[in-house]
Amino acid sequence: MSLKVGIVGLPNVGKSTLFKAVTKKQVDCANFPFCTIEPNVGVVAVPDERLTELSRVSKSKQTIPTTVDFLDIAGLVKGASQGEGLGNQFLSHIREVDAIVEVVRAFENDDIVHVSGKIDPTDDVETINLELIYADLSVVSKRLEGLKKSMKAGETHEQKLALSAFEKVNVLLSAGRPAREAALTEDEVKPIKDVHLLTAKPLLYVVNVNETQLRSDFRISSLPSELQIPLCVKMEEEIAALPDEEVQEYLDALGLSMTGLDQLIRASYDLLGLITYFTSGEKESRAWTVKRGTKAPQAAGVIHTDFEKGFIRAEVINWQDFVELGEVGSKEAGKLRVEGKEYTIQDGDTCHFRVST
């Protein structure tokens, strides 16, 4: 599975520059609103040292990482839900993503105009989030109206569940709260998922700061700290332009442990409850992404749907044991486990699936 992340924010907050930095893909970053009309898409390899080590030990001919799709979505403005700027054209693109990264500007720069004429991260967050709420409120209101009309001719169990779900979400949205906060039952989740509400999606904030703010770990006080990633997007752009072999040296000089991309990927994975397992051999070493809690047959099905149907067992070695001892050595040391259909895949498992054909 490939994770799809939409990058949103007001114009001129650093969205497209961040996109260019993390994807190493040139996009138009002209200094005026709405320069990004169609969503730019970049497929980014997820850096994972575990995969590199597995490939080295297996002497793999190919090393295939898992990927993240980043969508750079044009700048939203106040009134976007009513069609201001390029409005709903952009909002429709956001509905296609798994998670939203909202870029918020905290740095001062007189040469880069702010659409509202002032630097106020809290106000910017409120503007964007309210536009997403208004857009969802329109969808939910229409769905409620349609449901109530159709139920006059007779009610089904599914309609009652949908009505309950949409009414709960409608109350929240009307109060200016996101749909993700709704206390839905397991059965009520499906009708909400089916309409792809923007505020039901997991959300991370990238706070675009200057180097001084980055060193002081600047945060927006009105937002949960764990949902914020302070990044100096200008610095990330510089890192992206470096040869791979110079990146770590640059990070060490700045006292940083990882690039902004690494931070963004890890935070996105945690937010969506994703983990990585591996397959490794002479032909290839490969990383696979699954939801935390995935059973072995379903994990095998990510490789090929027939693997889930024909699943017999999984031969599992922790990646560290595999790197230290090799596949044969791990077997001889009793580090290989044979797991059945009820086994839950763990982050870092190296798997060999046995299936019937």
Side-chain angles (χ1 to χ4, degrees):
M1 61 184 291
S2 181
L3 170 65
K4 189 177 289 188
V5 176
I7 304 176
V8 303
L10 293 171
N12 299 339
V13 297
K15 292 184 308 79
S16 295
T17 305
L18 174 64
F19 177 83
K20 183 173 71 172
V22 300
T23 63
K24 296 187 180 180
K25 180 176 180 178
Q26 295 294 323
V27 293
D28 187 359
C29 297
N31 182 27
F32 55 89
F34 317 125
C35 67
T36 314
I37 296 177
E38 291 297 325
N40 293 281
V41 181
V43 181
V44 182
V46 178
D48 196 322
E49 292 181 1
R50 300 174 298 179
L51 178 63
T52 304
E53 287 297 295
L54 288 168
S55 185
R56 176 184 62 79
V57 169
S58 294
K59 298 184 172 131
S60 303
K61 294 177 182 175
Q62 278 189 298
T63 304
I64 306 174
T66 189
T67 60
V68 172
D69 294 355
F70 280 99
L71 281 75
D72 176 32
I73 298 167
L76 294 168
V77 293
K78 192 171 185 178
S81 59
Q82 304 301 318
E84 291 296 324
L86 295 176
N88 288 321
Q89 179 181 346
F90 298 156
L91 293 173
S92 65
H93 293 313
I94 308 174
R95 295 196 188 280
E96 302 169 4
V97 304
D98 300 304
I100 296 173
V101 167
E102 185 173 321
V103 182
V104 184
R105 177 176 169 180
F107 70 91
E108 298 275 356
N109 187 327
D110 293 338
D111 294 329
I112 302 175
V113 297
H114 190 287
V115 71
S116 64
K118 62 178 179 177
I119 306 301
D120 187 338
T122 300
D123 188 59
D124 290 356
V125 167
E126 185 177 350
T127 296
I128 292 294
N129 290 352
L130 279 176
E131 290 307 319
L132 301 183
I133 285 170
Y134 292 150
D136 279 352
L137 194 55
S138 175
V139 171
V140 170
S141 297
K142 288 176 184 175
R143 187 55 62 100
L144 276 172
E145 184 180 346
L147 268 172
K148 289 174 180 177
K149 282 183 180 178
S150 65
M151 290 173 73
K152 288 179 180 178
E155 300 178 355
T156 66
H157 178 64
E158 288 74 19
Q159 285 175 321
K160 288 181 180 178
L161 283 172
L163 182 65
S164 173
F166 283 112
E167 284 180 337
K168 287 180 180 179
V169 170
N170 189 57
V171 169
L172 269 178
L173 294 172
S174 298
R177 306 302 303 170
R180 72 181 69 87
E181 294 182 5
L184 302 176
T185 67
E186 189 175 336
D187 291 333
E188 289 172 339
V189 169
K190 186 181 184 304
I192 298 300
K193 274 188 175 180
D194 289 344
V195 296
H196 306 289
L197 295 179
L198 304 174
T199 64
K201 297 179 185 297
L203 175 66
L204 278 173
Y205 297 93
V206 165
V207 186
N208 190 4
V209 298
N210 59 35
E211 292 187 32
T212 301
Q213 291 169 315
L214 184 66
R215 290 191 188 96
S216 65
D217 195 33
F218 176 90
R219 304 274 170 162
I220 301 173
S221 59
S222 60
L223 298 176
S225 181
E226 67 274 13
L227 295 181
Q228 299 183 58
I229 306 174
L231 283 185
C232 179
V233 173
K234 182 174 177 244
M235 186 185 297
E236 292 299 324
E237 187 177 25
E238 292 172 358
I239 293 173
L242 292 174
D244 290 343
E245 59 273 15
E246 294 181 20
V247 171
Q248 191 56 52
E249 183 180 339
Y250 186 95
L251 292 175
D252 290 342
L254 293 170
L256 299 174
S257 59
M258 63 180 75
T259 66
L261 172 60
D262 290 347
Q263 292 183 57
L264 200 51
I265 294 296
R266 290 189 183 186
S268 299
Y269 267 48
D270 289 343
L271 190 68
L272 288 167
L274 300 176
I275 61 171
T276 301
Y277 79 87
F278 305 98
T279 53
S280 186
E282 187 177 344
K283 181 181 177 183
E284 69 174 33
S285 286
R286 186 163 183 165
W288 305 88
T289 301
V290 294
K291 286 273 190 184
R292 190 176 300 280
T294 298
K295 301 290 186 183
Q298 287 69 49
V302 172
I303 299 175
H304 196 290
T305 52
D306 288 346
F307 285 15
E308 180 177 353
K309 298 172 187 174
F311 179 88
I312 299 173
R313 66 180 182 273
E315 296 173 359
V316 182
I317 303 171
N318 178 273
W319 77 272
Q320 290 173 309
D321 292 329
F322 195 109
V323 169
E324 183 181 346
L325 303 170
E327 185 173 11
V328 174
S330 295
K331 290 178 182 177
E332 292 174 346
K335 299 292 186 180
L336 182 147
R337 308 187 315 274
V338 177
E339 304 287 359
K341 293 182 178 180
E342 293 305 310
Y343 176 69
T344 300
I345 294 292
Q346 303 298 307
D347 187 55
D349 279 349
T350 305
C351 301
H352 187 154
F353 295 110
R354 300 292 183 181
V355 299
S356 60
T357 55

